[in-house]
Amino acid sequence: RITYSGEDTFEDVIRNINNSGAGVTVSFDKTRAAFKIESSRTGKSAAITFDETMFDGGLFGAKGFDFNTAGNTAWTPDASRGESAASDATFEYNGMWMSRESNTFELDGVGVTLTKESEGQTFNVEVSRDVEPAVEAIKKFVEEYNKLVDLLEKQIATARPKSDKRSYYEPLTDEEREALSEDDIIKWEEKAKTGMLHRDNILTQIKNQMRGMVYTAVEMEDGSKLGLYNIGITTSAESNYAGKLQIDETKLRAALQENGDKVSQLFVKASDLPGGNPKDRNARLTDEGIGDRLDDIIKNAIDLNGSLYKHSGVTDKALSLIDNPIYRELNRYDQRMSDMLDYLQTREEYYYSMFAKMETAMSKSNSQMSSLTAMLGK
């Protein structure tokens, strides 16, 4: 209900009506000295009715505005001026008549806009998928995958640099640090850390599994199989692009149009199979989508039961300081150092003995030379 007083201006009344939620918008045409009232809805619900208090003795009547038929509470369209009563849009869809309040609506997931009457005409609507969002998402996945392959390849292929023809950059001793500037220390340590993962077994295994993932098809829910190569994603044959993925966008778009659901499964399908041992792990990798498959490959390397932890002697059940590859490798270095020290000591003793014998021989030679010189001198 909208109330007003004799002190209110028409601007106040119009503003109150427009803000009242009555479903109409009122404006005043100064040129024609007339009000314009429009419904904010469409269809039959757009019909506007007036209360009698709007007419004789009411707001407009009191202000001197003349309504053609005072007392009428409904507007009657004038056909001579092209006016028509509000009505719903009616149409026949697959043999069934339907109606909508608006000419723009959604039908079975398809946006429809009716622009004119078309009695007796039949329209066939062909619907196609909007695959562009999926194409962009897959392109982003391939881009990030290639970045990971590039990172792994760089770490595996980078060899340790040498400070000279024979020696690598080794960690600095305390004495060597004292002899170098802070800037030189930073540069040296950067060189010493370079190539530490050269031909690393764990990284190489991850890289090989990622490459194998591309050529291993995923089993769909209906029992069929689909691989990345079936939708236009393959590895490049170029040597400087080895292992990275490339996309045939035409083939990818066709696959999304024809089998969008299966392409979705290819990337997001989850697996309930266990992956505790190598045999189960291979079965799980075949059953799950590319996303989870790549996630499992990384986890199998860095998780608590992964290659990296096992390499350092850590498992989910125990921590072994002596039963792990790193300890055994350090032990081999210790044994090698011990053997080299033993060899050095043996060589030292050998050379000490040789020098001692040489000194004895030289002493005898000098004595003989002195005797011979004395005899010749006489």
Side-chain angles (χ1 to χ4, degrees):
R1 183 179 180 83
I2 303 171
T3 60
Y4 55 89
S5 67
E7 297 179 355
D8 288 339
T9 64
F10 271 116
E11 286 80 2
D12 295 330
V13 175
I14 290 173
R15 184 171 54 253
N16 290 338
I17 293 174
N18 291 341
N19 295 334
S20 67
V24 297
T25 301
V26 180
S27 59
F28 181 68
D29 187 342
K30 293 182 179 180
T31 303
R32 298 171 55 194
F35 284 96
K36 181 180 180 181
I37 304 177
E38 296 177 293
S39 175
S40 58
R41 299 183 296 272
T42 57
K44 290 182 179 180
S45 62
I48 301 174
T49 57
F50 300 95
D51 189 272
E52 291 183 358
T53 57
M54 294 285 288
F55 301 98
D56 292 339
L59 171 64
F60 294 103
K63 293 296 183 179
F65 283 87
D66 180 27
F67 281 77
N68 293 334
T69 309
N72 281 350
T73 59
W75 168 78
T76 301
D78 187 344
S80 65
R81 294 187 296 181
E83 298 173 348
S84 60
S87 63
D88 291 343
T90 58
F91 56 95
E92 185 180 3
Y93 177 66
N94 290 341
M96 181 182 298
W97 281 96
M98 299 182 176
S99 63
R100 295 289 187 276
E101 289 186 355
S102 173
N103 284 355
T104 300
F105 52 88
E106 186 174 294
L107 188 64
D108 290 342
V110 179
V112 178
T113 300
L114 305 179
T115 58
K116 64 179 181 179
E117 291 186 13
S118 56
E119 186 174 351
Q121 290 181 281
T122 301
F123 299 93
N124 294 320
V125 180
E126 182 177 346
V127 181
S128 62
R129 297 174 184 264
D130 180 10
V131 301
E132 291 309 310
V135 170
E136 292 303 315
I138 292 173
K139 287 170 66 176
K140 183 65 177 177
F141 166 80
V142 169
E143 179 184 344
E144 295 300 322
Y145 176 91
N146 287 342
K147 286 181 181 178
L148 180 57
V149 170
D150 194 44
L151 176 63
L152 292 174
E153 189 64 36
K154 183 178 180 180
Q155 295 296 327
I156 294 169
T158 302
R160 293 183 64 187
K162 292 184 177 181
S163 58
D164 53 40
K165 291 184 178 181
R166 296 183 179 180
S167 303
Y168 293 109
Y169 285 87
E170 301 292 350
L172 294 170
T173 62
D174 292 339
E175 291 79 6
E176 289 171 333
R177 283 177 173 274
E178 292 177 0
L180 296 174
S181 66
E182 189 66 29
D183 187 54
D184 289 337
I185 292 174
I186 293 174
K187 291 179 179 179
W188 182 281
E189 290 185 339
E190 183 178 349
K191 291 284 187 180
K193 293 176 182 178
T194 301
M196 296 302 292
L197 295 175
H198 182 229
R199 297 180 180 176
D200 180 79
N201 290 334
I202 295 177
L203 294 186
T204 301
Q205 183 181 23
I206 293 175
K207 183 188 70 173
N208 292 338
Q209 287 180 338
M210 288 173 60
R211 288 183 177 179
M213 173 190 77
V214 177
Y215 295 101
T216 304
V218 176
E219 187 170 339
M220 302 286 102
E221 293 176 354
D222 62 0
S224 63
K225 292 186 177 182
L226 188 70
L228 288 176
Y229 48 87
N230 295 127
I231 64 171
I233 301 178
T234 56
T235 53
S236 174
E238 298 180 19
S239 58
N240 61 341
Y241 208 70
K244 295 183 181 180
L245 300 179
Q246 59 184 9
I247 303 177
D248 181 340
E249 292 192 25
T250 301
K251 191 172 182 179
L252 174 60
R253 285 185 171 86
L256 286 168
Q257 287 284 1
E258 297 170 7
N259 295 297
D261 293 339
K262 287 189 176 182
V263 175
S264 176
Q265 288 183 50
L266 174 63
F267 284 95
V268 304
K269 184 173 181 274
S271 175
D272 296 328
L273 297 178
N277 58 64
K279 184 178 179 181
D280 292 339
R281 193 174 299 151
N282 291 333
R284 176 181 170 85
L285 288 175
T286 304
D287 185 57
E288 63 189 351
I290 298 298
D292 282 357
R293 184 181 292 178
L294 182 58
D295 185 60
D296 275 0
I297 289 173
I298 302 300
K299 285 182 177 178
N300 289 339
I302 65 174
D303 260 9
L304 190 56
N305 279 321
S307 304
L308 184 61
Y309 277 87
K310 289 180 180 178
H311 192 68
S312 61
V314 179
T315 67
D316 58 350
K317 297 180 179 179
L319 168 63
S320 174
L321 297 178
I322 59 174
D323 185 17
N324 63 77
I326 292 180
Y327 174 81
R328 289 191 288 271
E329 186 173 357
L330 290 174
N331 196 41
R332 283 196 297 271
Y333 281 122
D334 288 340
Q335 186 61 49
R336 186 179 176 188
M337 289 174 63
S338 178
D339 293 342
M340 292 180 70
L341 288 173
D342 291 341
Y343 174 76
L344 178 61
Q345 185 175 358
T346 301
R347 298 305 293 174
E348 283 181 346
E349 292 175 354
Y350 170 77
Y351 284 117
Y352 281 138
S353 176
M354 291 291 293
F355 276 108
K357 292 178 179 179
M358 186 175 65
E359 286 180 354
T360 302
M362 289 179 65
S363 177
K364 290 181 178 180
S365 177
N366 290 335
S367 177
Q368 291 174 354
M369 183 62 70
S370 296
S371 299
L372 182 58
T373 301
M375 292 174 62
L376 292 175
K378 289 182 179 180

